[in-house]
């Protein structure tokens, strides 16, 4: 039930940020190298987006150009928050903090 609330929150936030109704995928939990967890919900809108929850904070990120994988960020140049995925792994970065290497939890 907790995941349902997070999914709803992600879809609602997407509607508020973009003005578009959203089709959200199931939330994916990533376990990071520092022991933390990050939850990402990928939103099927144009352009694609992701809602990333870190320590209770929701980050609305847009899809950005990348050479490999999918990179979501708050902006193109020097973003405050970025979430870069490739396969089951992700690199999560928040300005002023160390980058975290995360892996999708298969549960």
């Amino acid at each position: 039930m907790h995941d349902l609330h997070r999914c709803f929150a992600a879809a609602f936030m997407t509607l508020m940020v973009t003005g578009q109704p959203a089709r959200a995928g199931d939330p994916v939990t990533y376990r990071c190298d520092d022991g933390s967890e990050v939850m990402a919900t990928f939103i099927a809108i144009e352009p694609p987006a992701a809602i990333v929850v870190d320590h209770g904070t929701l980050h609305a990120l847009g899809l950005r150009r990348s050479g490999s994988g999918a990179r979501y960020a708050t902006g193109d140049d020097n973003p405050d928050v970025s979430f870069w995925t490739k396969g089951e792994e992700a690199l999560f970065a928040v300005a002023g903090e160390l980058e975290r290497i995360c892996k999708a939890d298969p549960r």
Side-chain angles (χ1 to χ4, degrees):
M1 187 64 134
H2 194 60
D3 285 345
L4 180 61
H5 288 120
R6 287 183 178 175
C7 188
F8 177 76
F12 178 74
M13 186 163 181
T14 300
L15 178 62
M16 297 304 294
V17 170
T18 68
Q20 299 180 46
R23 290 182 306 143
D26 291 333
V28 178
T29 299
Y30 289 83
R31 302 211 184 278
C32 302
D33 58 356
D34 67 350
S36 66
E37 287 185 5
V38 175
M39 181 165 289
T41 303
F42 300 96
I43 312 295
I45 59 173
E46 275 307 316
I51 304 297
V52 178
V53 180
D54 174 41
H55 295 99
T57 301
L58 275 81
H59 302 281
L61 309 175
L63 185 65
R64 305 294 182 221
R65 184 177 303 180
S66 75
S68 180
R71 183 173 72 97
Y72 297 88
T74 53
D76 286 324
D77 297 324
N78 299 316
D80 290 331
V81 179
S82 68
F83 190 74
W84 201 328
T85 64
K86 184 171 182 179
E88 297 295 313
E89 294 191 354
L91 180 64
F92 182 60
V94 176
E97 297 180 11
L98 292 174
E99 291 181 337
R100 292 179 255 171
I101 299 170
C102 309
K103 187 168 184 169
D105 187 340
R107 285 188 262 154

